[in-house]
Amino acid sequence: MAEIKFYNREPVPVEMHKVKIVQKLSLLPARERLNKLREAGFNTFMLHNGDIFMDMLTDSGVNAMSDNMQSAMLRADDAYAGSETFYRMNEKLTGIFGMKYLLPTHQGRACEHIIAQHFVKPGSCVIMNYHFTTSKAHVTRLGGRVEELVKDEGLVVKSNLPFKGNIDLDKVKACIEKEGAENIAYMRLEAGTNLIGGQPISYENMKEATDIAKQHGIVTVLDASLLQDNLYFIKTREAGMQDKSIREITRMIADLFDIVYFSARKFGFGRGGGIMVRDEEMFHAMEDYITMFEGFLTYGGMSVKEMEALIIGFEETMDMDIISQGPQFINHCVTELDKLGVPMVTPGGGLGAHIDARQVVDHIPAEQYPAGSLVAALYLCGGIRGMERGTLSEERNPDGTEHIASVEMVRLAFPRRVFTLSQTEYVIDRVKWLYDHRHLIGGLKFVHEPKTLRFFTGKLEAVSDWPEKLVEAYIADFGEDQ
């Protein structure tokens, strides 16, 4: 997005694209939304998309393709083996990351599965700045464990720290000394740290951390799924980066790592995933996992039509005008809600605007999932589907007790090139109303709790009749049909 100045008002984000294809949305009446939420077990993942007005669950696989991406799909070479589309995609990614070898997968968690399968052994540990739900699950499933070493200030919800995703270098050194380098499977750094608000990590911090790892012979891995937002923040926030292009910064980052993997459901505006590997021997050591779990080496579970679109999408990710829309819309949403007194994660990061649920509903016990309750309430009061990012997204401790999350947030994701500013203003209005009526929100409890990644398919119920009372208050202010 361009930095467009306004004559007689404060600037607002301006889209650097025009809408050519539209999809109809519907806003169900509040009482009907309550029925739908009950059927979904108070889990927004289980809602039908047709029952949602503003789908802000995630940016994964729901970003808008450009006209050039869609037209490129007609060029796809649809072959089981040896598709020319694959070789074009490999060439594009090699040009961006400087890594020769590509292992294609169906999405990001498949990359995590293969990397963990290859490197993690029982009792080993993986160093991370912060975990992602599936990245941690793959490590623990194999008998490993995750050491989260994000700087302490990264968990301070409200601050002006520009790079809250930075890893603590002293903690890294202490962890290596304690564990022994031979027991560390790899170091994984996540660009745009998802679970603490899409907060970026600086180039300088990545360089220093990977230098330490290399001194001890530890494999370095970059999760680049949210790299495009992180690139925007490095260019706009990090000293010495303003004069560098997005392409230059990307290559500088990639040169630090042995492995770069990504979910193309986020990075590239499409669907799929990939593992870029620098070393030929390491590539061959992992390629069997592709044919075993994903598909042949030249499609890996991806549609070649999507692959052809991604070739264009990867190139568009190198365009500052394109990748700035998400962070600028998010910043606008965060800034306006902060002005209205709603506790927000600041500064605004990538991926989405994040509400500090622990502060908003501080009357709800941690064991009754405050962020999950706030997500449910937000759907009732506006048809907005957000995502819980807190204790509900954690897994229980070995003794069955709840593992209370470091932060308790509601994420309002901004899929790329999807929402308008007026829709964003609607979200701001409904969040403010809900904040002013937060005393009406109560807790949740599980009635069906899967053992792994329970937040995806678990079913819950309200601990009281608070949803009914909240809906009646909403109808009193907005009417029966809103």
Side-chain angles (χ1 to χ4, degrees):
M1 301 181 74
E3 294 290 338
I4 296 177
K5 296 180 180 179
F6 283 69
Y7 169 63
N8 197 32
R9 61 159 295 168
E10 289 296 313
V12 294
V14 176
E15 297 88 341
M16 296 300 291
H17 61 263
K18 58 184 177 181
V19 178
K20 299 178 73 174
I21 298 176
V22 297
Q23 185 176 31
K24 187 178 183 297
L25 297 174
S26 61
L27 178 60
L28 299 180
R31 288 197 179 94
E32 193 170 343
R33 294 198 294 270
L34 176 56
N35 291 333
K36 297 295 184 182
L37 192 60
R38 281 201 195 100
E39 292 171 7
F42 286 85
N43 182 348
T44 55
F45 274 96
M46 304 302 286
L47 288 166
H48 290 208
N49 195 47
D51 299 330
I52 295 161
F53 178 53
M54 288 287 290
D55 190 2
M56 308 182 82
L57 182 75
T58 181
D59 65 338
S60 179
V62 291
N63 300 295
M65 286 189 181
S66 67
D67 52 352
N68 289 328
M69 289 180 70
Q70 291 197 17
S71 62
M73 296 172 79
L74 297 174
R75 187 190 183 197
D77 179 23
D78 202 357
Y80 183 93
S83 169
E84 294 299 334
T85 292
F86 169 79
Y87 296 113
R88 285 194 286 268
M89 186 171 85
N90 197 352
E91 182 180 10
K92 174 60 67 176
L93 288 169
T94 297
I96 291 173
F97 292 113
M99 294 174 158
K100 182 177 179 180
Y101 303 103
L102 169 64
L103 297 166
T105 66
H106 73 277
Q107 64 181 79
R109 73 191 58 172
C111 301
E112 294 167 341
H113 168 223
I114 289 165
I115 293 168
Q117 192 77 35
H118 181 65
F119 289 104
V120 175
K121 303 292 186 294
S124 65
C125 80
V126 175
I127 292 175
M128 299 186 185
N129 51 340
Y130 206 76
H131 82 281
F132 183 62
T133 50
T134 53
S135 65
K136 183 177 181 179
H138 284 300
V139 171
T140 57
R141 181 183 66 84
L142 294 167
R145 73 181 191 284
V146 169
E147 291 290 337
E148 292 179 319
L149 305 180
V150 70
K151 284 191 172 184
D152 293 342
E153 53 262 41
L155 300 179
V156 177
V157 173
K158 193 174 183 66
S159 76
N160 58 4
L161 193 69
F163 293 102
K164 292 167 74 171
N166 281 0
I167 196 166
D168 190 310
L169 302 175
D170 290 333
K171 291 180 182 178
V172 170
K173 294 173 185 175
C175 181
I176 295 172
E177 183 176 352
K178 176 185 174 183
E179 297 291 334
E182 68 281 356
N183 194 48
I184 297 173
Y186 50 90
M187 173 191 284
R188 170 191 172 271
L189 298 181
E190 181 181 357
T193 319
N194 192 315
L195 295 185
I196 60 171
Q199 296 294 322
I201 178 172
S202 71
Y203 169 77
E204 181 183 11
N205 185 252
M206 284 188 271
K207 186 177 188 308
E208 291 175 332
T210 53
D211 281 348
I212 294 170
K214 289 171 185 175
Q215 290 168 15
H216 293 86
I218 297 170
V219 172
T220 55
V221 178
L222 173 69
D223 180 349
S225 300
L226 293 173
L227 180 62
Q228 68 177 59
D229 291 341
N230 211 118
L231 289 167
Y232 170 85
F233 291 122
I234 287 175
K235 183 170 174 63
T236 58
R237 293 180 182 177
E238 188 163 358
M241 293 294 181
Q242 284 71 35
D243 294 333
K244 296 187 182 299
S245 70
I246 293 297
R247 193 181 300 274
E248 287 173 320
I249 298 170
T250 302
R251 185 60 175 270
M252 289 169 62
I253 292 171
D255 285 347
L256 302 176
F257 292 89
D258 300 306
I259 297 172
V260 174
Y261 78 89
F262 59 88
S263 169
R265 296 178 67 87
K266 300 175 184 289
F267 181 76
F269 307 103
R271 294 171 184 82
I275 304 170
M276 297 298 299
V277 182
R278 190 177 306 284
D279 179 72
E280 183 177 5
E281 184 176 345
M282 187 180 292
F283 166 76
H284 288 307
M286 288 195 286
E287 65 183 348
D288 287 351
Y289 296 115
I290 300 296
T291 52
M292 184 180 299
F293 297 117
E294 294 294 302
F296 192 68
L297 289 172
T298 54
Y299 72 91
M302 298 172 66
S303 157
V304 291
K305 293 179 176 61
E306 290 275 358
M307 292 165 68
E308 201 70 62
L310 283 168
I311 296 170
I312 304 299
F314 296 139
E315 188 62 32
E316 291 178 354
T317 302
M318 298 294 103
D319 186 331
M320 184 64 169
D321 279 347
I322 291 176
I323 67 171
S324 60
Q325 178 182 346
Q328 289 185 15
F329 262 59
I330 292 163
N331 182 65
H332 176 75
C333 185
V334 169
T335 300
E336 293 304 308
L337 284 169
D338 188 55
K339 288 178 184 176
L340 294 170
V342 179
M344 303 296 294
V345 176
T346 62
L351 176 58
H354 292 75
I355 304 170
D356 181 4
R358 183 162 282 154
Q359 187 173 344
V360 172
V361 286
D362 56 4
H363 58 281
I364 298 178
E367 293 79 10
Q368 292 183 10
Y369 314 118
S373 299
L374 187 55
V375 164
L378 187 59
Y379 173 71
L380 294 176
C381 302
I384 302 162
R385 175 161 70 169
M387 185 188 289
E388 186 273 354
R389 298 279 71 169
T391 300
L392 187 63
S393 291
E394 297 284 349
E395 296 185 4
R396 288 185 181 270
N397 296 317
D399 64 359
T401 58
E402 285 289 356
H403 180 77
I404 306 303
S406 302
V407 288
E408 195 80 24
M409 301 182 302
V410 169
R411 183 179 80 195
L412 301 175
F414 278 78
R416 294 352 174 228
R417 306 184 285 201
V418 172
F419 296 135
T420 64
L421 191 60
S422 64
Q423 290 170 324
T424 305
E425 295 294 340
Y426 169 84
V427 171
I428 292 168
D429 179 81
R430 291 309 192 260
V431 170
K432 170 59 175 171
W433 184 92
L434 187 58
Y435 178 67
D436 289 344
H437 295 78
R438 60 193 181 277
H439 62 283
L440 296 175
I441 306 172
L444 299 172
K445 62 181 179 181
F446 270 105
V447 293
H448 166 63
E449 183 177 354
K451 291 183 179 180
T452 303
L453 300 174
R454 60 184 182 173
F455 65 92
F456 278 128
T457 57
K459 294 291 186 74
L460 303 100
E461 64 182 14
V463 298
S464 68
D465 63 349
W466 69 262
E468 291 81 0
K469 291 179 179 178
L470 184 68
V471 165
E472 292 307 317
Y474 181 86
I475 290 173
D477 282 350
F478 293 102
E480 291 281 347
D481 61 346
Q482 292 290 307

